[in-house]
Amino acid sequence: KAGVTQTPRYLIKTRGQQVTLSCSPISGHRSVSWYQQTPGQGLQFLFEYFSETQRNKGNFPGRFSGRQFSNSRSEMNVSTLELGDSALYLCASSLGTGSNEKLFFGSGTQLSVL
Amino acid sequence: AQKVTQAQTEISVVEKEDVTLDCVYETRDTTYYLFWYKQPPSGELVFLIRRNSFDEQNEISGRYSWNFQKSTSSFNFTITASQVVDSAVYFCALSDSNSGYALNFGKGTSLLVTP
């Protein structure tokens, strides 16, 4: 069974640009969550999608958005990039049927904002 | 407030030593879930163990064991006979209704196992 796939692996952008990151969950998984990892703030929850609907959202500004497609693949978008958006963005998938489910993570997209 | 504290930032041990990673949590919920994840240099977080607030039974799974104590709000994780491949960053995480059951991670403990 293929794992969670995130593309691209690395990305370099400049301030003010916008970026789209992609995540393909494990086959059969309907929930996709996104987390941001930085040295200062650690791992922080961005949002979760289930069956194309945002089910939960973390405390991030509106510049961070996401969506999920009918095949459960998900994208997240960051508009008007700031230097502080430089981070490892991790996607995780699960069946989405329970609150104590273990998550399966991808290797992440390392975003650098210059 | 929901919070997870991993006081140990870095731990270094020699192969075959036992090592315990500490985790202290705060939550107002009576129903909550605790997790340990491992992050090797490749970047992806790997699920290790899970406990819910109703089950304080401590278990051993291979070289891994955990000690969940509600009285002290601690969820410690022990690796017995550590190996070089255990070198990684280990995260303790909590999920409860306050976060909509999203994972709230601690800052992580970096474990280095040397030969």
Side-chain angles (χ1 to χ4, degrees):
Chain A
K1 206 176 199 180
V4 178
T5 304
Q6 291 188 247
T7 57
R9 186 72 176 93
Y10 301 95
L11 207 49
I12 300 175
K13 292 286 186 179
T14 56
R15 277 183 303 173
Q17 287 187 310
Q18 67 97 26
V19 67
T20 299
L21 312 181
S22 180
C23 173
S24 294
I26 291 172
S27 177
H29 284 189
R30 296 168 65 189
S31 170
V32 174
S33 302
W34 289 88
Y35 287 81
Q36 181 197 64
Q37 185 175 23
T38 60
Q41 298 298 317
L43 280 154
Q44 293 184 286
F45 170 72
L46 282 157
F47 28 65
E48 185 227 353
Y49 287 87
F50 179 80
S51 292
E52 302 180 64
T53 301
Q54 187 180 85
R55 194 161 64 170
N56 195 2
K57 188 178 187 305
N59 189 26
F60 277 81
R63 300 184 298 107
F64 292 81
S65 63
R67 60 178 176 168
Q68 187 180 34
F69 302 96
S70 58
N71 61 357
S72 292
R73 191 177 69 85
S74 177
E75 290 181 348
M76 69 162 281
N77 184 278
V78 188
S79 62
T80 318
L81 284 166
E82 300 177 1
L83 295 178
D85 297 334
S86 295
L88 179 66
Y89 290 88
L90 291 163
C91 164
S93 78
S94 69
L95 292 170
T97 56
S99 50
N100 66 335
E101 283 186 295
K102 64 181 182 181
L103 302 183
F104 295 83
F105 284 83
S107 296
T109 293
Q110 183 67 55
L111 172 64
S112 297
V113 181
L114 307 178
Chain B
Q2 183 198 58
K3 190 178 177 182
V4 177
T5 303
Q6 294 180 254
Q8 304 151 308
T9 306
E10 294 180 354
I11 298 176
S12 182
V13 299
V14 177
E15 205 171 19
K16 296 182 184 175
E17 284 185 14
D18 298 347
V19 56
T20 295
L21 309 180
D22 298 333
C23 174
V24 175
Y25 63 92
E26 291 178 34
T27 177
R28 292 176 186 164
D29 277 12
T30 55
T31 300
Y32 54 89
Y33 306 95
L34 295 162
F35 302 79
W36 277 96
Y37 281 84
K38 169 184 178 180
Q39 187 176 38
S42 54
E44 82 280 11
L45 286 154
V46 178
F47 168 83
L48 295 174
I49 55 177
R50 165 184 56 201
R51 257 303 173 259
N52 68 50
S53 54
F54 299 107
D55 184 1
E56 286 192 76
Q57 181 179 358
N58 296 311
E59 292 185 17
I60 297 174
S61 176
R63 295 188 299 110
Y64 298 157
S65 63
W66 51 96
N67 188 339
F68 175 32
Q69 293 193 349
K70 288 176 72 171
S71 60
T72 56
S73 296
S74 65
F75 186 49
N76 298 335
F77 176 64
T78 297
I79 302 173
T80 303
S82 59
Q83 300 174 1
V84 172
V85 293
D86 294 328
S87 297
V89 181
Y90 290 80
F91 291 94
C92 179
L94 165 72
S95 75
D96 64 12
S97 63
N98 184 56
S99 65
Y101 295 99
L103 290 176
N104 183 16
F105 286 92
K107 294 292 189 183
T109 298
S110 179
L111 173 65
L112 177 63
V113 182
T114 55

